[in-house]
Amino acid sequence: MFGLNPKVVAIVEIGGSLVNSRGIDLSEVLEVIKSPDGLQGVRELWREGAKLPELLEELDCDVMIELTPTDLSTGQPGLDHVRAALQNEVNVVTTNKGPLALAMPALLEIAEYNDVMLKFSGTVGGGTPMLDFAKKCLEGEEIVSIRGILNGTTNYILTKMDAEGVSLENALSEAKALGYAEADPTYDIDGFDSAGKLVIMANWVMGRSLSIRDIEITGIRNVNQEQIENARAEGKTIKLIASCEEKAEVRPMAISRDHPLNVSGTINALTFATDLADEITLVGRGAGGTETASAVLRDLIDIRKSYSMNVPAPQRGA
Ligand SMILES: NC(=O)c1ccc[n+]([C@@H]2O[C@H](COP(=O)([O-])OP(=O)(O)OC[C@H]3O[C@@H](n4cnc5c(N)ncnc54)[C@H](OP(=O)(O)O)[C@@H]3O)[C@@H](O)[C@H]2O)c1
Protein backbone atom coordinates (compact mmCIF):
# COMPACT_ATOMS: atom_id res chain seq x y z
CA MET A 1 0.00 0.00 0.00
CA PHE A 2 1.24 3.56 -0.78
CA GLY A 3 4.24 1.92 -2.46
CA LEU A 4 5.47 1.13 1.02
CA ASN A 5 7.01 -2.28 1.54
CA PRO A 6 9.61 -1.70 4.23
CA LYS A 7 12.42 -4.13 4.95
CA VAL A 8 13.74 -3.99 8.52
CA VAL A 9 17.51 -4.52 8.37
CA ALA A 10 18.36 -3.92 12.06
CA ILE A 11 16.69 -3.70 15.45
CA VAL A 12 18.93 -2.00 18.02
CA GLU A 13 18.71 -2.70 21.75
CA ILE A 14 20.93 -1.48 24.60
CA GLY A 15 23.07 -4.65 24.69
CA GLY A 16 23.22 -5.53 21.02
CA SER A 17 21.29 -5.71 17.78
CA LEU A 18 19.54 -8.02 15.37
CA VAL A 19 21.06 -7.48 11.93
CA ASN A 20 20.17 -8.87 8.52
CA SER A 21 20.76 -6.84 5.39
CA ARG A 22 18.29 -9.07 3.52
CA GLY A 23 15.51 -8.23 6.01
CA ILE A 24 14.45 -9.48 9.44
CA ASP A 25 11.38 -11.69 9.75
CA LEU A 26 9.20 -9.58 12.06
CA SER A 27 6.76 -12.38 12.88
CA GLU A 28 9.71 -14.33 14.34
CA VAL A 29 10.78 -11.26 16.33
CA LEU A 30 7.28 -10.79 17.73
CA GLU A 31 7.36 -14.41 18.91
CA VAL A 32 10.77 -14.31 20.63
CA ILE A 33 10.27 -10.89 22.18
CA LYS A 34 7.78 -12.47 24.61
CA SER A 35 10.32 -15.12 25.70
CA PRO A 36 12.92 -14.63 28.48
CA ASP A 37 15.67 -14.41 25.83
CA GLY A 38 14.03 -11.44 24.12
CA LEU A 39 15.63 -10.44 20.82
CA GLN A 40 18.62 -12.66 21.58
CA GLY A 41 16.26 -15.54 20.86
CA VAL A 42 16.91 -14.97 17.14
CA ARG A 43 20.42 -16.36 17.68
CA GLU A 44 21.66 -16.39 14.08
CA LEU A 45 21.00 -12.64 13.71
CA TRP A 46 22.02 -11.39 17.18
CA ARG A 47 25.19 -9.31 17.38
CA GLU A 48 26.28 -8.73 20.95
CA GLY A 49 27.28 -5.10 21.58
CA ALA A 50 26.47 -3.87 18.04
CA LYS A 51 25.46 -0.20 18.24
CA LEU A 52 23.67 2.23 15.96
CA PRO A 53 26.61 4.28 14.58
CA GLU A 54 28.44 1.23 13.19
CA LEU A 55 25.21 -0.18 11.75
CA LEU A 56 24.43 3.12 10.01
CA GLU A 57 27.84 2.92 8.36
CA GLU A 58 27.50 -0.75 7.44
CA LEU A 59 23.89 -1.05 6.30
CA ASP A 60 22.22 0.53 3.33
CA CYS A 61 19.13 1.91 5.06
CA ASP A 62 16.75 4.74 4.16
CA VAL A 63 15.06 5.36 7.51
CA MET A 64 15.96 5.04 11.20
CA ILE A 65 13.01 4.87 13.60
CA GLU A 66 13.99 6.17 17.06
CA LEU A 67 11.79 4.93 19.92
CA THR A 68 13.99 5.07 23.03
CA PRO A 69 12.66 6.55 26.29
CA THR A 70 12.30 10.33 26.54
CA ASP A 71 14.87 12.20 28.62
CA LEU A 72 14.03 15.91 28.76
CA SER A 73 17.26 16.81 30.63
CA THR A 74 19.85 15.42 28.21
CA GLY A 75 17.81 14.17 25.26
CA GLN A 76 19.87 10.97 25.38
CA PRO A 77 20.20 8.37 24.02
CA GLY A 78 17.77 9.62 21.36
CA LEU A 79 19.69 12.80 20.59
CA ASP A 80 22.86 10.92 19.58
CA HIS A 81 20.81 8.39 17.60
CA VAL A 82 18.91 11.07 15.64
CA ARG A 83 22.04 13.13 14.98
CA ALA A 84 24.04 10.10 13.84
CA ALA A 85 21.34 8.99 11.39
CA LEU A 86 20.85 12.46 9.89
CA GLN A 87 24.61 12.92 9.51
CA ASN A 88 24.73 9.57 7.69
CA GLU A 89 22.05 10.86 5.30
CA VAL A 90 19.43 8.54 6.73
CA ASN A 91 15.85 9.83 7.22
CA VAL A 92 14.56 9.74 10.79
CA VAL A 93 11.13 9.02 12.25
CA THR A 94 10.88 9.49 16.00
CA THR A 95 8.26 9.54 18.74
CA ASN A 96 10.86 10.63 21.31
CA LYS A 97 10.32 14.23 22.45
CA GLY A 98 13.69 14.57 24.20
CA PRO A 99 15.95 15.36 21.22
CA LEU A 100 13.42 17.81 19.76
CA ALA A 101 12.55 19.56 23.01
CA LEU A 102 16.25 20.32 23.51
CA ALA A 103 17.71 20.72 20.02
CA MET A 104 14.98 20.91 17.40
CA PRO A 105 16.32 23.89 15.34
CA ALA A 106 19.80 22.31 15.15
CA LEU A 107 18.43 18.88 14.20
CA LEU A 108 16.22 20.33 11.46
CA GLU A 109 19.26 22.17 10.13
CA ILE A 110 21.32 18.94 10.04
CA ALA A 111 18.44 17.21 8.23
CA GLU A 112 18.21 19.99 5.66
CA TYR A 113 21.98 20.10 5.15
CA ASN A 114 22.06 16.35 4.52
CA ASP A 115 18.93 16.46 2.34
CA VAL A 116 17.00 13.98 4.48
CA MET A 117 13.78 14.14 6.49
CA LEU A 118 13.23 14.35 10.23
CA LYS A 119 9.67 13.25 11.02
CA PHE A 120 8.08 13.38 14.47
CA SER A 121 4.27 13.19 14.18
CA GLY A 122 4.01 10.85 17.18
CA THR A 123 5.75 13.23 19.60
CA VAL A 124 2.64 15.39 20.09
CA GLY A 125 -0.90 14.06 20.36
CA GLY A 126 0.00 10.34 19.97
CA GLY A 127 -2.09 9.22 17.00
CA THR A 128 -4.02 12.51 16.76
CA PRO A 129 -2.38 14.37 13.87
CA MET A 130 -1.88 17.71 15.59
CA LEU A 131 1.37 18.63 13.82
CA ASP A 132 0.25 17.43 10.41
CA PHE A 133 -3.14 19.11 10.77
CA ALA A 134 -1.54 22.48 11.47
CA LYS A 135 1.08 22.15 8.77
CA LYS A 136 -0.98 20.62 5.99
CA CYS A 137 -4.63 21.57 6.61
CA LEU A 138 -3.96 25.13 7.77
CA GLU A 139 -1.73 26.05 4.85
CA GLY A 140 -2.26 29.72 4.00
CA GLU A 141 -3.37 30.57 7.54
CA GLU A 142 -1.24 32.40 10.04
CA ILE A 143 -1.38 30.52 13.32
CA VAL A 144 -1.46 33.31 15.88
CA SER A 145 -1.57 31.16 18.98
CA ILE A 146 -1.84 27.60 20.17
CA ARG A 147 -3.35 26.58 23.47
CA GLY A 148 -4.10 23.12 24.66
CA ILE A 149 -4.02 20.10 26.89
CA LEU A 150 -1.05 18.03 25.80
CA ASN A 151 -0.68 15.62 28.73
CA GLY A 152 -3.25 12.90 29.37
CA THR A 153 -1.98 11.92 32.83
CA THR A 154 -2.45 15.36 34.37
CA ASN A 155 -5.78 15.77 32.62
CA TYR A 156 -6.95 12.46 34.09
CA ILE A 157 -5.89 13.63 37.58
CA LEU A 158 -7.55 17.06 37.29
CA THR A 159 -10.74 15.51 35.86
CA LYS A 160 -10.87 13.07 38.76
CA MET A 161 -10.23 15.81 41.34
CA ASP A 162 -12.99 17.93 39.82
CA ALA A 163 -15.57 15.17 39.35
CA GLU A 164 -15.04 13.23 42.58
CA GLY A 165 -13.56 15.76 44.99
CA VAL A 166 -10.50 13.56 45.66
CA SER A 167 -7.02 14.87 46.51
CA LEU A 168 -4.20 15.09 43.97
CA GLU A 169 -2.38 12.25 45.80
CA ASN A 170 -5.38 9.91 45.53
CA ALA A 171 -6.04 10.77 41.89
CA LEU A 172 -2.34 10.20 41.12
CA SER A 173 -2.36 6.80 42.85
CA GLU A 174 -5.32 5.78 40.73
CA ALA A 175 -3.61 7.05 37.56
CA LYS A 176 -0.59 4.87 38.46
CA ALA A 177 -2.77 1.84 39.15
CA LEU A 178 -4.42 2.24 35.73
CA GLY A 179 -1.04 2.59 34.01
CA TYR A 180 -1.66 6.23 33.00
CA ALA A 181 1.18 7.52 35.20
CA GLU A 182 4.77 6.31 35.54
CA ALA A 183 6.17 5.21 38.92
CA ASP A 184 8.06 8.53 38.78
CA PRO A 185 5.40 10.91 37.45
CA THR A 186 7.59 14.05 37.65
CA TYR A 187 7.62 14.73 33.89
CA ASP A 188 3.84 14.74 33.81
CA ILE A 189 2.93 16.34 37.14
CA ASP A 190 5.52 19.11 36.96
CA GLY A 191 4.56 20.07 33.42
CA PHE A 192 7.77 19.05 31.60
CA ASP A 193 6.05 16.61 29.25
CA SER A 194 3.57 19.32 28.18
CA ALA A 195 6.43 21.80 27.80
CA GLY A 196 8.42 19.41 25.57
CA LYS A 197 5.39 19.00 23.31
CA LEU A 198 4.74 22.76 23.30
CA VAL A 199 8.30 23.37 22.05
CA ILE A 200 7.75 20.97 19.16
CA MET A 201 4.37 22.51 18.24
CA ALA A 202 5.55 26.12 18.54
CA ASN A 203 8.70 25.53 16.49
CA TRP A 204 7.01 23.48 13.82
CA VAL A 205 3.72 25.29 13.29
CA MET A 206 4.53 28.83 14.45
CA GLY A 207 8.11 29.07 13.19
CA ARG A 208 9.56 29.70 16.66
CA SER A 209 13.04 28.62 17.64
CA LEU A 210 12.45 27.44 21.20
CA SER A 211 14.00 24.88 23.49
CA ILE A 212 12.36 23.59 26.65
CA ARG A 213 14.53 26.01 28.62
CA ASP A 214 12.57 28.91 27.09
CA ILE A 215 9.23 27.72 28.49
CA GLU A 216 7.80 29.05 31.77
CA ILE A 217 6.61 25.86 33.46
CA THR A 218 4.26 25.38 36.41
CA GLY A 219 2.87 21.89 36.93
CA ILE A 220 -0.20 20.73 38.86
CA ARG A 221 1.58 19.67 42.06
CA ASN A 222 0.04 22.54 44.06
CA VAL A 223 -3.49 22.34 42.66
CA ASN A 224 -5.90 21.64 45.52
CA GLN A 225 -9.61 21.13 46.13
CA GLU A 226 -10.11 24.71 47.31
CA GLN A 227 -8.90 26.07 43.94
CA ILE A 228 -11.07 23.57 42.10
CA GLU A 229 -14.15 24.57 44.12
CA ASN A 230 -13.47 28.28 43.58
CA ALA A 231 -13.22 27.66 39.85
CA ARG A 232 -16.46 25.65 39.91
CA ALA A 233 -18.28 28.52 41.65
CA GLU A 234 -17.40 30.65 38.61
CA GLY A 235 -18.54 27.99 36.10
CA LYS A 236 -14.94 26.97 35.43
CA THR A 237 -12.63 23.99 35.80
CA ILE A 238 -8.85 23.80 36.22
CA LYS A 239 -6.77 22.36 33.37
CA LEU A 240 -3.03 22.19 32.71
CA ILE A 241 -2.77 24.47 29.67
CA ALA A 242 0.25 24.69 27.37
CA SER A 243 0.17 27.84 25.28
CA CYS A 244 2.25 29.87 22.89
CA GLU A 245 1.31 33.36 21.90
CA GLU A 246 3.68 36.17 22.86
CA LYS A 247 5.27 33.91 25.43
CA ALA A 248 5.32 30.15 25.73
CA GLU A 249 4.17 28.69 29.02
CA VAL A 250 2.62 25.70 30.77
CA ARG A 251 0.46 26.33 33.83
CA PRO A 252 -2.81 25.30 35.48
CA MET A 253 -5.59 27.65 34.39
CA ALA A 254 -9.29 27.93 35.15
CA ILE A 255 -11.24 27.63 31.88
CA SER A 256 -14.96 27.87 31.27
CA ARG A 257 -16.79 24.53 31.55
CA ASP A 258 -18.21 24.96 28.05
CA HIS A 259 -14.80 25.73 26.52
CA PRO A 260 -13.80 23.22 23.78
CA LEU A 261 -10.62 22.46 25.75
CA ASN A 262 -12.69 21.12 28.65
CA VAL A 263 -12.03 17.48 27.70
CA SER A 264 -12.04 14.75 30.30
CA GLY A 265 -9.82 11.82 31.26
CA THR A 266 -6.66 11.14 29.27
CA ILE A 267 -7.88 12.97 26.16
CA ASN A 268 -5.74 15.72 24.61
CA ALA A 269 -7.09 18.85 22.92
CA LEU A 270 -5.43 21.70 21.08
CA THR A 271 -6.91 24.97 19.85
CA PHE A 272 -5.25 26.79 16.95
CA ALA A 273 -6.16 30.47 16.66
CA THR A 274 -5.70 31.50 13.05
CA ASP A 275 -5.99 34.81 11.21
CA LEU A 276 -8.64 33.66 8.72
CA ALA A 277 -10.45 30.55 9.96
CA ASP A 278 -10.55 31.77 13.59
CA GLU A 279 -10.32 29.04 16.24
CA ILE A 280 -10.09 25.33 15.42
CA THR A 281 -9.84 22.69 18.13
CA LEU A 282 -8.52 19.18 17.59
CA VAL A 283 -9.44 16.51 20.16
CA GLY A 284 -8.12 12.95 20.42
CA ARG A 285 -6.13 10.35 22.29
CA GLY A 286 -2.74 11.78 23.16
CA ALA A 287 -0.92 8.49 23.72
CA GLY A 288 -1.14 4.71 23.47
CA GLY A 289 1.07 2.21 21.69
CA THR A 290 -1.16 1.51 18.71
CA GLU A 291 -2.18 5.16 18.30
CA THR A 292 1.44 6.30 18.34
CA ALA A 293 2.45 3.52 15.94
CA SER A 294 -0.14 4.95 13.52
CA ALA A 295 1.80 8.24 13.62
CA VAL A 296 5.03 6.36 12.78
CA LEU A 297 3.27 4.72 9.84
CA ARG A 298 2.01 8.10 8.59
CA ASP A 299 5.55 9.46 8.75
CA LEU A 300 6.91 6.50 6.81
CA ILE A 301 4.25 6.95 4.14
CA ASP A 302 5.09 10.65 3.93
CA ILE A 303 8.78 9.88 3.42
CA ARG A 304 7.88 7.38 0.73
CA LYS A 305 5.55 9.88 -0.99
CA SER A 306 7.96 12.77 -0.87
CA TYR A 307 10.63 10.62 -2.46
CA SER A 308 8.36 9.63 -5.30
CA MET A 309 7.36 13.30 -5.74
CA ASN A 310 11.01 14.40 -5.36
CA VAL A 311 10.18 17.12 -2.80
CA PRO A 312 13.25 19.14 -1.82
CA ALA A 313 14.45 18.75 1.79
CA PRO A 314 13.39 22.13 3.29
CA GLN A 315 9.73 21.22 2.82
CA ARG A 316 10.19 17.84 4.41
CA GLY A 317 9.60 17.65 8.16
CA ALA A 318 7.05 16.49 10.68
N1 LIG B 1 3.73 4.69 24.35
C1 LIG B 1 3.11 5.82 24.06
O1 LIG B 1 1.92 5.96 24.21
C2 LIG B 1 3.91 6.98 23.50
C3 LIG B 1 3.23 8.09 22.95
C4 LIG B 1 3.96 9.14 22.39
C5 LIG B 1 5.34 9.12 22.46
N2 LIG B 1 5.97 8.05 23.06
C6 LIG B 1 7.43 8.07 23.12
O2 LIG B 1 7.93 7.01 22.31
C7 LIG B 1 9.14 6.48 22.88
C8 LIG B 1 8.96 4.98 23.11
O3 LIG B 1 7.85 4.80 23.96
P1 LIG B 1 7.52 3.36 24.58
O4 LIG B 1 6.25 3.53 25.31
O5 LIG B 1 7.65 2.33 23.52
O6 LIG B 1 8.72 3.26 25.63
P2 LIG B 1 9.31 1.94 26.33
O7 LIG B 1 8.25 0.92 26.46
O8 LIG B 1 10.04 2.44 27.54
O9 LIG B 1 10.36 1.38 25.27
C9 LIG B 1 11.59 1.99 25.06
C10 LIG B 1 12.53 0.96 24.50
O10 LIG B 1 13.80 1.58 24.24
C11 LIG B 1 14.82 0.65 24.66
N3 LIG B 1 16.04 1.39 24.91
C12 LIG B 1 16.37 2.11 25.99
N4 LIG B 1 17.62 2.64 25.84
C13 LIG B 1 18.08 2.21 24.63
C14 LIG B 1 19.29 2.40 23.91
N5 LIG B 1 20.30 3.12 24.41
N6 LIG B 1 19.42 1.80 22.70
C15 LIG B 1 18.41 1.06 22.19
N7 LIG B 1 17.24 0.84 22.83
C16 LIG B 1 17.07 1.41 24.04
C17 LIG B 1 14.22 0.01 25.88
O11 LIG B 1 14.90 -1.20 26.17
P3 LIG B 1 14.84 -1.85 27.65
O12 LIG B 1 13.43 -2.30 27.82
O13 LIG B 1 15.83 -2.94 27.55
O14 LIG B 1 15.23 -0.75 28.59
C18 LIG B 1 12.79 -0.23 25.44
O15 LIG B 1 12.67 -1.40 24.67
C19 LIG B 1 9.39 7.26 24.18
O16 LIG B 1 10.29 8.31 23.91
C20 LIG B 1 8.00 7.83 24.51
O17 LIG B 1 8.06 9.03 25.25
C21 LIG B 1 5.30 6.99 23.55
Side-chain angles (χ1 to χ4, degrees):
M1 221 196 307
F2 303 105
L4 189 69
N5 186 17
K7 183 168 77 174
V8 176
V9 292
I11 302 175
V12 181
E13 267 196 344
I14 296 178
S17 306
L18 289 186
V19 187
N20 187 354
S21 60
R22 280 173 287 125
I24 296 169
D25 177 354
L26 294 182
S27 51
E28 190 182 355
V29 171
L30 289 173
E31 271 307 309
V32 299
I33 202 92
K34 297 176 202 144
S35 75
D37 283 346
L39 288 187
Q40 297 188 42
V42 191
R43 293 192 200 291
E44 66 284 9
L45 301 185
W46 178 254
R47 278 201 214 162
E48 188 70 24
K51 295 204 181 300
L52 184 72
E54 70 202 60
L55 296 174
L56 286 168
E57 297 276 341
E58 173 191 327
L59 296 164
D60 179 21
C61 61
D62 299 315
V63 183
M64 191 273 295
I65 303 179
E66 216 292 336
L67 307 166
T68 63
T70 294
D71 182 326
L72 290 171
S73 311
T74 66
Q76 300 297 1
L79 184 54
D80 281 350
H81 292 164
V82 171
R83 210 186 273 129
L86 296 175
Q87 284 168 343
N88 274 276
E89 300 177 3
V90 171
N91 299 287
V92 172
V93 174
T94 186
T95 59
N96 181 349
K97 290 170 289 295
L100 294 158
L102 290 161
M104 186 166 171
L107 292 173
L108 285 171
E109 215 174 293
I110 300 173
E112 189 177 334
Y113 180 79
N114 288 286
D115 196 23
V116 285
M117 298 169 76
L118 170 58
K119 304 282 294 175
F120 39 87
S121 304
T123 54
V124 185
T128 310
M130 291 180 168
L131 290 155
D132 279 348
F133 175 79
K135 200 71 173 179
K136 294 179 184 172
C137 300
L138 297 182
E139 251 176 342
E141 300 275 352
E142 186 195 342
I143 298 176
V144 222
S145 72
I146 49 177
R147 174 176 298 252
I149 293 169
L150 298 177
N151 180 273
T153 307
T154 44
N155 201 52
Y156 175 85
I157 290 169
L158 293 173
T159 306
K160 191 108 188 136
M161 288 174 74
D162 184 289
E164 297 175 21
V166 297
S167 66
L168 187 130
E169 290 71 26
N170 287 348
L172 174 58
S173 302
E174 188 154 339
K176 282 185 187 170
L178 290 168
Y180 297 151
E182 303 290 329
D184 175 6
T186 307
Y187 273 176
D188 297 323
I189 299 293
D190 292 325
F192 299 116
D193 178 76
S194 296
K197 291 168 178 167
L198 182 64
V199 166
I200 297 169
M201 285 299 309
N203 287 350
W204 188 239
V205 309
M206 295 176 77
R208 301 292 170 93
S209 194
L210 300 175
S211 118
I212 196 164
R213 298 182 186 98
D214 301 312
I215 313 287
E216 272 179 36
I217 309 172
T218 310
I220 66 165
R221 210 171 272 277
N222 295 324
V223 175
N224 56 39
Q225 270 306 326
E226 194 186 336
Q227 293 164 333
I228 289 182
E229 275 158 32
N230 289 341
R232 186 180 298 117
E234 294 176 2
K236 293 181 174 175
T237 183
I238 295 182
K239 295 288 183 189
L240 183 64
I241 303 290
S243 63
C244 181
E245 198 163 357
E246 271 145 41
K247 67 176 176 181
E249 62 176 347
V250 173
R251 67 181 169 92
M253 286 174 65
I255 61 166
S256 165
R257 285 187 176 266
D258 57 11
H259 194 283
L261 289 181
N262 183 15
V263 291
S264 59
T266 57
I267 297 296
N268 283 196
L270 188 66
T271 299
F272 300 94
T274 69
D275 59 342
L276 304 174
D278 205 5
E279 289 198 349
I280 300 167
T281 300
L282 215 56
V283 175
R285 283 184 202 283
T290 310
E291 291 84 347
T292 308
S294 77
V296 171
L297 182 60
R298 277 203 310 271
D299 283 349
L300 282 173
I301 292 170
D302 250 14
I303 291 175
R304 179 72 188 84
K305 275 187 189 161
S306 78
Y307 271 69
S308 51
M309 291 188 294
N310 208 11
V311 178
Q315 295 169 31
R316 304 204 230 120

